Amino acid sequence: MNVIAIDGSSSAGKGTLALRLAQELDYAYLDTGALYRGVGYELLQNGLDPQDEEAAVKVAKGLSVERMLSLQDDSCIRNEVCGKAASYVSRLPKVREALFEFQRRFALFPIKKDKTPAKGAILDGRDIGTVICPEAQIKLFLTANSEIRAKRRYKELQLKGLCVIYEDVLSDIIQRDKRDQERQTAPLKPAEDALVIDTSDMT
Ligand code: DC
């Protein structure tokens, strides 16, 4: 298993690093946050509450492999509302359980966007080094101080043409960190053998 696990908090730079490494090494890349966002999106689309456990589990179990593979390219899930919904559904152990097998298979049998097999996989998320691929050869854990992350996120949203207030973005990041770190199942924390990288002073 050639796997690079990249975990860390939101806007710490996981996605950017994962994508660049995947291009450089010609590995397949899976953004696992997109799976939780996808569950949140489906619930919201159907007028359901992201905190409704039964509904969230049903949606998570119902996602097809094709849909899970395509979610990371779906721009509809990249908004703050889906991000918040994702952070609620990701607290539910049964939702995590429903998405486990797909992530595990991707790590074991990585496939690239053109559907050809890859010689390795890069997965980014919150629990890749601890739960999904504890045997990954390389584990990175990215952090950055919350104000810097909020500024990055604020800039990104502005570039998308969205009208956002910096204080709201900051408070959202702080609350999301808290939910990710304090949940019972697979909380956000570095694996014991992870290399921790603080990206606060990096571009
Ligand atoms: O990385 P992101 O912002 O797209 O993730 C959305 C939410 O999903 C975030 O609150 C944490 C959660 N998540 C998770 O619990 N486990 C993962 N492996 C990836 C994301």
Side-chain angles (χ1 to χ4, degrees):
M1 185 198 235
N2 281 332
V3 173
I4 300 179
I6 306 183
D7 290 304
S9 37
S10 58
S11 299
K14 299 184 304 291
T16 307
L17 178 62
L19 256 177
R20 291 207 192 157
L21 277 175
Q23 277 164 1
E24 190 67 30
L25 301 168
D26 200 24
Y27 275 21
Y29 167 50
L30 184 68
D31 163 9
T32 64
L35 303 174
Y36 297 94
R37 285 174 179 267
V39 174
Y41 173 77
E42 294 290 335
L43 289 163
L44 295 170
Q45 276 290 86
N46 291 295
L48 297 163
D49 180 355
Q51 300 197 56
D52 176 343
E53 179 164 8
E54 203 182 320
V57 174
K58 199 169 166 202
V59 167
K61 284 187 175 166
L63 290 177
S64 67
V65 169
E66 280 304 310
R67 176 73 176 136
M68 288 195 269
L69 281 171
S70 70
L71 269 170
Q72 62 193 12
D73 300 315
D74 187 342
S75 58
C76 296
I77 63 166
R78 300 286 164 200
N79 54 59
E80 297 304 273
V81 183
C82 284
K84 198 167 183 181
S87 97
Y88 282 118
V89 301
S90 64
R91 285 197 300 192
L92 304 168
K94 283 187 184 155
V95 167
R96 304 197 73 86
E97 213 178 286
L99 301 176
F100 177 85
E101 199 53 43
F102 169 75
Q103 297 174 75
R104 197 63 207 156
R105 275 195 76 80
F106 188 91
L108 290 172
F109 309 104
I111 44 166
K112 292 189 277 189
K113 282 214 167 25
D114 60 7
K115 302 271 156 62
T116 57
K119 55 183 190 265
I122 300 186
L123 285 83
D124 84 34
R126 305 293 190 285
D127 62 340
I128 309 302
T130 50
V131 177
I132 306 293
C133 298
E135 72 276 56
Q137 288 96 336
I138 298 177
K139 298 182 188 177
L140 306 175
F141 189 88
L142 268 55
T143 63
N145 87 45
S146 43
E147 286 183 8
I148 287 179
R149 287 187 288 122
K151 279 184 194 144
R152 289 177 186 162
R153 187 78 190 127
Y154 177 68
K155 238 191 204 166
E156 197 181 318
L157 293 168
Q158 273 195 323
L159 282 174
K160 280 188 189 161
L162 296 169
C163 184
V164 279
I165 296 165
Y166 170 75
E167 276 69 27
D168 289 348
V169 178
L170 177 62
S171 106
D172 201 60
I173 280 202
I174 293 170
Q175 283 170 32
R176 208 179 295 178
D177 282 353
K178 198 166 147 52
R179 280 198 292 272
D180 288 350
Q181 285 159 358
E182 290 180 355
R183 67 172 175 238
Q184 301 274 311
T185 315
L188 171 66
K189 62 166 188 209
E192 273 175 22
D193 50 349
L195 172 68
V196 178
I197 303 173
D198 187 331
T199 67
S200 300
D201 297 324
M202 297 179 188
T203 58

